């Protein structure tokens, strides 16, 4: 993927989480120094000064340092058993508001299929403040179904998925509820007939295709298939927090624009 030129943008970037990971893993993301020199010519009444001054790292430079240091701890092919600490992937990421009593929360949903066929749902809960404006986090959205587990999920996430005192009191149950929020929140009778069209759900505001995502994972469970009869078959659910999502410029889709275009086509 391109760097900081016209081809790549960051749809999500958590500066706080990046710095926390850097501190925990001993990764240097300190400012770089650039050279500065002084040039003075006798026939000129002034001098040019070039010296050393700090320059903050570009986001792509931070990404390279973090990924290089984390290495294989960031799992992309989910054939290894739980639990992974960091995860990354390439593909579509759906952006939605997380309907809860806390303002400014979002949930990002991604799917992955491991090389052994394992079907993985990745549910990442973050802050609206970290979503780039071009994704439309402040756009008006339609409403729909919201989960009764919203408060329990919020409390579970606040402990990094360590403490679970809810009625969904086992790892599989509460993970399934988190997955429903990531991929089904906002459903209506009409939109439930087309689950592969997230723009038809309430609370959704955008997606990115062919994007690179990186996340810190709090919970990682393999489902007992004899126990669950889900609308969409899933073998493994990861729940955590997004660190970044970077995407080619043309791969970011803002649903308010897409819905408008769809309505224009419908009535032509």
């Amino acid at each position: 993927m391109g760097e900081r030129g016209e081809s790549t943008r960051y749809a999500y970037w958590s500066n706080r989480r990046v710095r926390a990971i850097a501190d925990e893993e001993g990764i240097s993301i300190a400012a770089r120094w650039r050279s500065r020199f002084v040039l003075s010519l006798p026939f000129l009444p002034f001098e040019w000064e070039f010296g050393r001054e700090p320059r903050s790292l570009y986001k792509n430079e931070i990404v390279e340092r973090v990924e290089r240091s984390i290495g294989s701890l960031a799992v992309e092919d989910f054939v290894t058993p739980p639990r992974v600490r960091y995860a990354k992937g390439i593909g579509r990421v759906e952006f939605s508001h997380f309907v809860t009593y806390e303002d400014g929360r979002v949930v990002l949903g991604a799917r992955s299929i491991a090389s052994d066929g394992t079907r993985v749902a990745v549910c990442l809960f973050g802050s609206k403040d970290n979503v780039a404006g071009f994704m439309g986090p402040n756009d008006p959205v339609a409403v729909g179904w919201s989960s009764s587990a919203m408060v329990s999920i919020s409390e579970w996430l606040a402990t990094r998925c360590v403490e679970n005192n809810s009625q969904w009191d086992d790892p599989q149950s509460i993970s399934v509820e988190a997955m429903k929020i990531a991929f089904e929140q906002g459903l209506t009778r009409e939109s439930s007939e087309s689950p592969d069209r997230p723009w038809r759900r309430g609370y959704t505001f955008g997606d990115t295709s062919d994007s690179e995502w990186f996340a810190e994972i709090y919970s990682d469970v393999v489902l007992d298939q004899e126990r669950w009869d889900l609308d969409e078959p899933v073998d493994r659910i990861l729940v955590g927090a997004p660190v970044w999502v970077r995407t080619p410029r043309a791969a970011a889709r803002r649903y308010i624009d897409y819905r408008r275009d769809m309505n224009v086509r419908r009535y032509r």
Side-chain angles (χ1 to χ4, degrees):
M1 183 172 290
E3 300 301 346
R4 63 180 191 282
E6 289 294 313
S7 61
T8 302
R9 295 189 291 185
Y10 285 81
Y12 189 97
W13 178 267
S14 174
N15 192 58
R16 182 181 66 84
R17 197 161 299 280
V18 166
R19 295 191 176 280
I21 291 173
D23 288 342
E24 292 173 6
E25 303 295 339
I27 304 168
S28 174
I29 56 173
R32 281 184 171 178
W33 288 85
R34 51 188 173 190
S35 297
R36 201 163 50 103
F37 307 96
V38 176
L39 177 63
S40 179
L41 299 176
F43 54 85
L44 292 178
F46 56 86
E47 63 182 22
W48 287 277
E49 184 174 336
F50 307 90
R52 300 193 70 201
E53 58 184 22
R55 173 183 72 76
S56 298
L57 295 179
Y58 295 113
K59 288 177 180 177
N60 66 286
E61 293 175 306
I62 295 175
V63 165
E64 290 169 0
R65 290 191 181 192
V66 170
E67 290 195 324
R68 184 170 60 249
S69 297
I70 296 297
S72 61
L73 288 178
V75 177
E76 186 172 11
D77 187 3
F78 300 98
V79 295
T80 56
R83 136 170 127 80
V84 303
R85 184 174 178 185
Y86 301 104
K88 63 181 180 178
I90 299 176
R92 187 170 80 177
V93 179
E94 300 171 8
F95 289 67
S96 307
H97 294 286
F98 174 24
V99 181
T100 183
Y101 297 120
E102 301 173 75
D103 292 332
R105 300 293 300 280
V106 293
V107 55
L108 280 55
R111 296 175 176 85
S112 179
I113 298 180
S115 59
D116 64 356
T118 298
R119 298 159 296 190
V120 184
V122 184
C123 315
L124 306 175
F125 294 81
S127 170
K128 185 175 74 170
D129 292 339
N130 296 329
V131 181
F134 64 81
M135 292 301 302
N138 297 311
D139 291 343
V141 295
V143 298
W145 172 80
S146 60
S147 172
S148 60
M150 65 174 78
V151 175
S152 297
I153 296 295
S154 291
E155 294 174 348
W156 184 50
L157 289 166
T159 68
R160 294 190 168 220
C161 300
V162 173
E163 297 179 17
N164 176 13
N165 300 313
S166 72
Q167 68 186 78
W168 301 276
D169 56 0
D170 68 276
Q172 291 190 40
S173 294
I174 198 164
S175 295
V176 168
E177 294 304 314
M179 182 181 68
K180 290 178 181 178
I181 289 174
F183 295 103
E184 298 179 16
Q185 181 185 248
L187 281 177
T188 62
R189 181 178 299 178
E190 180 185 24
S191 61
S192 63
E193 298 173 357
S194 52
D196 60 332
R197 300 177 181 178
W199 57 88
R200 301 187 68 178
R201 299 195 334 253
Y203 309 116
T204 60
F205 58 87
D207 67 34
T208 58
S209 60
D210 297 323
S211 55
E212 295 178 358
W213 56 266
F214 186 94
E216 189 173 3
I217 303 302
Y218 304 151
S219 173
D220 178 4
V221 298
V222 175
L223 298 183
D224 178 359
Q225 293 300 323
E226 294 184 357
R227 178 181 176 186
W228 300 99
D229 182 19
L230 302 171
D231 293 335
E232 180 181 350
V234 174
D235 301 304
R236 187 171 177 176
I237 302 174
L238 276 62
V239 179
V243 181
W244 65 70
V245 177
R246 59 178 184 172
T247 181
R249 182 170 292 270
R253 179 166 54 175
R254 188 170 179 169
Y255 286 168
I256 192 170
D257 299 327
Y258 190 72
R259 289 167 179 144
R260 185 185 301 117
D261 291 342
M262 292 292 289
N263 287 333
V264 168
R265 294 172 191 167
R266 184 182 303 171
Y267 293 108
R268 275 181 176 172

